[in-house]
Amino acid sequence: MHGPVSIAWLLVALCALTGAYCLLRMRSGVEEQRRAAGGEALMGFGMAAMAVPAAVFTPPGWAWPLYAAVFGAAALRALWAVRRGARGAPHHLHHLVGSAAMIYMAVAMAASPPAAHHGHGGTGVPLLTGALLLYFTGYVLLAGARLVPAPAPAGAAGPAGWGDRPELARACRLSMGIGMVAMLLAM
């Protein structure tokens, strides 16, 4: 990732903490929430690893194709869920776009010379980067608006466990969206 090292470390921390919380969410009693949390944990940890400053660690050449393969598999899984009409299709579409963005960034990093990883290089296709920036900026604004608390429905059950708290899941998705915007801006 390009940009100031302190910002990169903040992004690493944000994404790693989000990924760790998503692992906690995988303990939910609802299967669909567990699946979504697993995909989000992969995204969070993948973003954290990709955001490590190049001045500290420069991944070997084989790492970028590995990133692309892992997120390619995640994209195929999301595409399959959308195609078969699984519940939460918009969420699966978002996972598909997020995985595609990770593939795009991995390919752009693989294509750029190693020296460009330390400064501002012109990696990536500006039109595609701009389209992804527009999508994730819109997603962040929408996810932020959804964080506004709503009154609890009458007769609601007691407090939910850590894996079943929708407001924390939304905050998790919001933080990953912000992280994606930061990573795209740094390309």
Side-chain angles (χ1 to χ4, degrees):
M1 176 165 151
H2 310 298
V5 173
S6 60
I7 292 174
W9 281 119
L10 288 172
L11 186 57
V12 168
L14 174 73
C15 293
L17 288 171
T18 300
Y21 173 69
C22 290
L23 286 179
L24 285 175
R25 286 181 39 228
M26 288 181 68
R27 297 179 357 182
S28 170
V30 180
E31 183 179 351
E32 187 62 31
Q33 289 180 10
R34 284 193 308 267
R35 283 191 190 145
E40 291 166 0
L42 174 68
M43 184 68 70
F45 288 128
M47 289 171 63
M50 193 177 275
V52 171
V56 174
F57 174 71
T58 302
W62 54 264
W64 300 117
L66 179 64
Y67 273 97
V70 167
F71 285 100
L76 287 174
R77 184 177 177 271
L79 181 62
W80 186 257
V82 169
R83 186 170 179 257
R84 69 175 184 180
R87 274 189 38 200
H91 188 68
H92 291 295
L93 281 172
H94 175 69
H95 276 262
L96 179 62
V97 173
S99 295
M102 291 296 283
I103 294 167
Y104 168 66
M105 287 188 283
V107 168
M109 292 304 285
S112 70
H117 295 204
H118 294 285
H120 290 281
T123 60
V125 179
L127 184 61
L128 186 53
T129 303
L132 288 169
L133 273 170
L134 281 174
Y135 172 80
F136 282 105
T137 300
Y139 180 81
V140 164
L141 292 172
L142 183 62
R146 288 182 178 163
L147 278 179
V148 175
W162 281 100
D164 296 322
R165 300 198 47 192
E167 71 278 6
L168 290 178
R170 285 188 212 111
C172 171
R173 293 178 188 126
L174 173 64
S175 65
M176 282 195 292
I178 292 169
M180 191 64 78
V181 168
M183 289 176 75
L184 288 165
L185 284 173
M187 281 190 68

